[in-house]
Amino acid sequence: MDRYAEPTRQVYEGWDEFYSRSVDDKLDSFRQNGRIFDVIYAQQFDREFLDYLCSLAEKIRLLAKTKMGLGKLKRLLQHKRAMLYFVQPSTRTFLSFQNACYTLGLSVSEIRGTSTSSEVKGESQEDTIRTFASYVDLIIARHAEAGFAEKTAWVLNQTERPVPVLNGGSGPDQHPTQALLDIYTLEREFRNLGGLDGKKVAMVGDLKRGRTVRSLSYLMKNYRDVTLYFVAPEVFRMREDIKSFLTKHAIRFHETDDFESVMPLVDAIYLTRIQNEYAEHPSSETETYPAFHFKTKHLTMIQPHCALLHPLPRRYEIEVAVDKDPRAAYWRQERCGMWIRAALITYIFRVDQVILDEFS
Ligand code: NCD
């Protein structure tokens, strides 16, 4: 047998049956020729892939600094088109993907609300999805529905135009490319301290509905000797699915609602906002949970190397004056998003080797 032949694909009855399966069962469905093709869940990434993507992002970043390097990047994917289907609010994820596409020469089209697409005329989700694929070579989707990006990939993988799909945020479930940029940021912040291996990381805020902390938690299984501290009010504690995943993979985690007690212990603090758009009555959720905010007075309580991260947007979680402290990594984190997403797109279109060749 040709060792590069595709493994026989599992056949499913339909979308509902497929969606109900465990992620482990479905991982092969989003691979092609031994590589990740659609990016749907954080569980798709292993250590080798994460290390590779971070090193690729560093190289793209370096190339983009010069006119000649940027010119080479811009010629890589001039023949490709991408579609940003972002029907949930977004600033950073949208702009960073858009600019990653521009850097690599892709043309970009966008839909930013269902009210302007034919879904309002009664078109089925499946037909809308196939229509997107008719015009572009890559779909990046953000949707309030947890399974939308997955469904897009699943539908297209059964058509004659299975273009790759990247999940730019699937409701309160996952945000795998944010997790990539979070890992890239942590590895960079700890580059003189041996990277993320062996570090203690606190995740703070709405851990129940925050997709970024959920995806990032999955990625921790790829790092040695990491300890997590889940710091949340009782109502927003991390869900059982993540906790049982961590237990299964022998990743230490502690849960507490005492933020100040954790501050001196950790190497990184990842703050998040209350995700009240997922509440039944969003405007009735007015509590701001100040015990889970990081103030300037806390700067003396954390370690000299402690990195402060936040996926942004920020509300009250970090006092603005904290931005001046060199340990505030969230603005650097934001920029890392553009580079790691550019790296991911070169990988998906198999032009990553061209970048490596520039450095050989
Ligand atoms: C996050 C998101 O959309 O989940 N934002 C982002 O993509 N950087 C976090 C948030 O909205 O709180």
Side-chain angles (χ1 to χ4, degrees), residues 92-93 142 175 178 211-212 273 275 311-313:
R92 273 149 286 270
T93 308
R142 164 172 290 203
H175 197 348
Q178 176 74 39
R211 55 193 174 193
T212 67
R273 72 176 172 88
Q275 307 280 312
L312 303 175

Side-chain angles (χ1 to χ4, degrees), residues 95-111:
L95 285 175
S96 63
F97 264 122
Q98 188 184 42
N99 282 288
C101 287
Y102 291 156
T103 302
L104 300 169
L106 287 107
S107 334
V108 182
S109 50
E110 58 178 83
I111 290 187

Side-chain angles (χ1 to χ4, degrees), residues 96-97 132 144 147 158 223 250 270 291 332 338:
S96 63
F97 264 122
F132 296 160
Q158 293 169 76
Y223 296 86
Y270 189 105
R332 293 191 289 277
M338 179 171 65

Side-chain angles (χ1 to χ4, degrees), residues 86 88-94 96 142 168-172 174-175 177-178 181-182 209-213 270-275 277-278 310-315 317 333-334 341:
F86 273 57
Q88 228 192 351
S90 176
T91 308
R92 273 149 286 270
T93 308
F94 181 86
S96 63
R142 164 172 290 203
S170 45
Q174 283 231 24
H175 197 348
T177 65
Q178 176 74 39
L181 80 90
D182 295 338
R209 302 173 299 187
R211 55 193 174 193
T212 67
V213 279
Y270 189 105
L271 291 121
T272 65
R273 72 176 172 88
I274 304 299
Q275 307 280 312
E277 64 267 46
Y278 297 112
H310 191 307
L312 303 175
R314 141 173 82 183
R315 280 181 189 160
E317 302 80 50
Q333 180 185 0
E334 191 171 72
R341 286 176 172 128

Side-chain angles (χ1 to χ4, degrees), residues 143-211:
H143 205 287
E145 235 176 71
F148 182 82
E150 184 174 344
K151 185 173 182 179
T152 305
W154 182 82
V155 166
L156 294 179
N157 284 341
Q158 293 169 76
T159 69
E160 62 200 35
R161 252 192 89 69
V163 309
V165 177
L166 309 181
N167 177 1
S170 45
D173 187 31
Q174 283 231 24
H175 197 348
T177 65
Q178 176 74 39
L180 289 177
L181 80 90
D182 295 338
I183 288 290
Y184 178 39
T185 308
L186 288 165
E187 289 275 48
R188 282 189 117 230
E189 294 298 313
F190 300 141
R191 67 192 140 205
N192 299 323
L193 301 165
L196 179 52
D197 290 319
K199 299 295 185 288
K200 297 185 173 72
V201 180
M203 298 187 188
V204 188
D206 186 347
L207 307 183
K208 184 178 173 186
R209 302 173 299 187
R211 55 193 174 193

